[in-house]
Amino acid sequence: MKNSTLIKLNTENIDEAVEYTAKVLLAGGIAVIPTETVYGIAAPINNSQGIIDIFKAKGRPSDNPLIVHISNKNQIKKIVTYINPLSEKLIEAFFPGPLTIIFDAKKELDRRITAGLDTVAIRMPENKFTLKLIDKIGPIAAPSANISGKPSGTTIDDIIEELNGRVDIFIDDGNALHGIESTVINPLVQPPQILRKGSITKENIEKVIGNVSFPEKFSSTISPGTRYKHYAPSVETTYLKKIEHIDSFNIILSDLAKTRKLGIISFGTPIEIFNENIILKDLSPDPKIATKKLFNTLRELDRIVEEIIILPLPDYSDLWLSIDDRLERGANKVINSF
Ligand code: TXA
Ligand code: MG
């Protein structure tokens, strides 16, 4: 068990917090740090103890690689063998921000970070504290702050509940701005492939580099992380992608609610149910707001209900596709049409 310290950031203490976190990380510790997407668990890329402890803290399989976080573009050259013209464009357009780019890694880079691969995932987060921290101690490796398989941590309370005693420091910088992880793109193949859908959409990327693709099936050999169960609440979770028979749906719902507490997640089209066993969480018809609340709502319902039912998204394009991806992975049951 580690003795975890909590630091709540304010306008006055940021430099002091950076100073303290830097000292702990350089000595082999690990820290939960804020980014604009979700919180991460960080260690310097050249501190093997810290890297090992990140995998331990998350219970993460050692064959699932971590993302390296940088604070300025010059740091990329020290980690990768070559920056191709497409990557140059992506860096120019999206750094700092929620895009992670795959490069060929120099052989000096610790292969624990890349899970043995000769490629490395790099991004520049847009968070003042974390950029200052990296300026001070150099690039850090940071996966999302959650136990492996659970929804990513977007509020410090959710993260403390899960990781208390497993990390040295928690930095609280409020609710994560985007609430969904970065988009991962591989520009080493033609056409470039989006390996993980995220905050930046296919449309956003295509405006900058032209045609990009999704892998045929989000195959495990291409992005190791997509092979594992992810974003999953502990209680039974059903994702309904389309409801055609709303009347029979309502009847089944009332029936279920006779014997168990149900949590319903909707996206701007709340259903009319009046039953004390049903807790309705209407996120938003705006995908930017819905992503912000999604993981926190799943965690909240997971604590208080026996079953979660997720209603159809208003749309299956653009940023909604990233939400759809997380729900498909997190649910035990996906029903395409009811
Ligand atoms: O928004 C984010 O990206 C957050 C914050 C903390 O920055 N981080 C994050 O890290 O989501 P993590 O470890 O939970 O997810 C990293 C994803 C995994 O799906 C992993 O397989 C993929 O990136 N990845 C990492 N290195 C890779 C590589 N060399 N090739 C292909 N995929 C890679
Ligand atoms: Mg993760």
Side-chain angles (χ1 to χ4, degrees), residues 130-141:
T130 296
L131 288 172
K132 280 189 171 207
L133 176 68
I134 301 168
D135 276 345
K136 198 159 187 73
I137 63 173
I140 54 179

Side-chain angles (χ1 to χ4, degrees), residues 35 37-40 58 60 64-67 69 100 102 117 119-121 123 142-144 180-182 184 195-196 222-226:
T35 88
T37 55
V38 299
Y39 278 81
K58 283 182 66 94
R60 181 171 179 125
N64 190 3
L66 309 179
I67 295 173
H69 294 62
T100 297
I102 307 291
L117 298 174
T119 53
V120 57
R123 88 175 191 97
S144 53
I180 195 164
E181 304 82 353
S182 62
V184 179
L195 301 184
R196 179 174 70 181
I222 304 172
S223 191
T226 55

Side-chain angles (χ1 to χ4, degrees), residues 169-188:
I169 304 175
F170 292 100
I171 300 291
D172 178 6
D173 195 17
N175 293 3
L177 203 62
H178 295 273
I180 195 164
E181 304 82 353
S182 62
T183 303
V184 179
I185 184 158
N186 181 7
L188 303 174

